[in-house]
Amino acid sequence: MPAPAAAPPAPAPVPAATPVSPSAYAALPFTVEMPMGFSLTAGRPGPDFQEYTIARAGQAFVRIYVGPSSQFPIYSGDVIMAGGRASVVTTDGLTRHALEHMFQRPTAPREIHVWTSSLDGADQALAERIANSVDAK
């Protein structure tokens, strides 16, 4: 009888998201308007980048990448240049949805990439409103 296969090693634990303090928020290379009840947390940083999540009650609404080279675009749609950013816009019937935005800066961090989570109805509209409020400093 063959010996049982060894179980694969457990994945390394992922560091928990860290709430962004008011002083750290002031130092971010972007601004954002968050409704009451939402929080901004910093996720696992990389060598030259940081990712942030805007969430309510554990549900991510918007994610923000700050670093040298993002994966823009992640959604399919029309890329429109307006307001100092490139935005990916889709159409659902007669309604247009801005699902992600890319700011490019002359200094580090070179890119600020903002995208909405896949949500439905009022939550999706709220995610779009939050993502549209992000602006590069």
Side-chain angles (χ1 to χ4, degrees):
M1 180 175 217
V14 175
T18 306
V20 175
S21 70
S23 61
Y25 179 82
L28 292 174
F30 62 88
T31 59
V32 61
E33 295 174 20
M34 293 188 304
M36 292 292 287
F38 281 80
S39 62
L40 177 67
T41 56
R44 287 188 307 189
D48 294 329
F49 73 89
Q50 178 69 56
E51 286 189 4
Y52 299 92
T53 301
I54 298 171
R56 178 180 67 194
Q59 172 67 51
F61 277 63
V62 174
R63 299 199 187 258
I64 303 170
Y65 163 92
V66 176
S69 180
S70 75
Q71 297 296 313
F72 181 83
I74 57 173
Y75 286 109
S76 297
D78 296 326
V79 177
I80 297 171
M81 300 297 294
R85 65 185 175 194
S87 298
V88 174
V89 178
T90 63
T91 304
D92 179 18
L94 297 176
T95 306
R96 294 174 60 123
H97 299 281
L99 302 177
E100 65 183 307
H101 308 285
M102 168 67 83
F103 296 91
Q104 294 188 314
R105 299 166 22 114
T107 59
R110 307 272 302 164
E111 295 186 355
I112 299 172
H113 180 191
V114 180
W115 67 98
T116 63
S117 297
S118 295
L119 302 166
D120 294 316
D123 285 346
Q124 180 61 36
L126 186 52
E128 285 182 54
R129 191 175 91 207
I130 295 167
N132 285 332
S133 78
V134 174
D135 200 5
K137 288 183 183 174

